[in-house]
Amino acid sequence: MTRPDLNITQRVLNSSGSKTYDANTNALAGAITLSNLVSGETLNHSGTASVSSANAGSYTISNLSGISIADNAGTASNYTLTGGTHNFTVNQRPLVATLARQYDGTTTSAGSTLSSFDALQGGETLTMTGSGTAASANVANGVMVASPGTLALADETGLASNYSLSSTVLNITQKPVNTSGTRSYNASATVAAGNLIVSGEVGSEQLSI
C-alpha cells in the first residue's frame, strides 16, 4: 500500500484593533489582536502597520505589512498574516473645551467664547458653535457647562469628525466697573466713598462703595 503524503500549509491569521485618533496612520502592534490561532497557542507580534487614512473610521488593512510574528506558546512558522482579514478602527478623540468670558449675570455659555481644547492632535485647531448653560453665573474658573445645549465642534485646520466633545467648562472673570463722583472744595485731595457712585454693573444689579 502506498503511504499518502500530507502537505501542511500555514494557518492564516486574522486581526482586529483600534486606537484613538492621533493624526497619523500608524496601527501599532500593541493595538492589534491576532485571532484564528490553534486553541491554546499564542504568538508574539511587533512592529507597525498602516491604515489608509488618519481620520476616524473603520478600515480593512489589506495586509499587515510592518507587523511580524514570533514564537510564544505557538510556533510562528506555522502561521501567516498574508490573506487574512485585518480590521482596524480609529475612534474619535474626546475633548474638553474651555470657554472664557467676563461676568454678565447669565449662565449663557457660547461656543464663540472658546479659549482652548485639552487634546487636539498634530497642531490641529477647531472652533465651536452653538450655546449651552453653565451651572453658575458667578465668577469662577472651571464652571461646568451642565447643559451643552447646541454646543458643537466645527472644522478649522482639523476635522471635527475626528473628535467628540466630552465636556465643557467656563471660566468667568470679573467685570470692570466705573466710578464717578463730585464734592465741594475742602482744601484736601481726599475723596470719600460717599462721594462716589458706581456704573457699568450688569442689568439691574447695583453696587456701592
Side-chain angles (χ1 to χ4, degrees):
M1 179 181 293
T2 303
R3 185 173 60 185
D5 294 327
L6 176 64
N7 295 326
I8 301 176
T9 59
Q10 290 178 311
R11 187 178 184 91
V12 177
L13 293 174
N14 301 320
S15 72
S16 61
S18 66
K19 69 171 182 176
T20 301
Y21 173 74
D22 58 7
N24 66 63
T25 59
N26 292 340
L28 301 178
I32 293 172
T33 299
L34 302 178
S35 60
N36 200 36
L37 288 152
V38 169
S39 179
E41 294 192 350
T42 58
L43 295 176
N44 294 322
H45 60 292
S46 60
T48 304
S50 297
V51 291
S52 58
S53 170
N55 295 325
S58 297
Y59 301 94
T60 297
I61 305 175
S62 58
N63 62 70
L64 277 183
S65 176
I67 299 293
S68 59
I69 55 177
D71 297 351
N72 195 345
T75 301
S77 60
N78 289 330
Y79 295 91
T80 180
L81 294 168
T82 302
T85 300
H86 307 293
N87 298 316
F88 197 87
T89 301
V90 179
N91 297 310
Q92 292 178 316
R93 178 170 290 274
L95 292 179
V96 175
T98 299
L99 311 179
R101 64 163 171 77
Q102 287 185 353
Y103 170 76
D104 64 5
T106 76
T107 56
T108 300
S109 307
S112 59
T113 65
L114 175 68
S115 174
S116 64
F117 290 110
D118 70 327
L120 290 171
Q121 299 293 293
E124 295 177 347
T125 57
L126 295 177
T127 59
M128 286 187 71
T129 60
S131 181
T133 303
S136 170
N138 296 323
V139 169
N141 284 329
V143 178
M144 185 61 63
V145 178
S147 175
T150 59
L151 284 172
L153 303 174
D155 297 350
E156 199 166 60
T157 65
L159 295 177
S161 57
N162 287 327
Y163 298 90
S164 62
L165 187 60
S166 63
S167 62
T168 306
V169 295
L170 174 63
N171 294 337
I172 304 174
T173 57
Q174 293 176 316
K175 184 184 188 305
V177 293
N178 303 314
T179 59
S180 61
T182 59
R183 67 164 170 78
S184 299
Y185 173 72
N186 63 5
S188 79
T190 300
V191 178
N195 297 126
L196 296 174
I197 59 173
V198 179
S199 61
E201 301 100 322
V202 169
S204 60
E205 295 183 352
Q206 292 183 329
L207 297 174
S208 60
I209 299 178

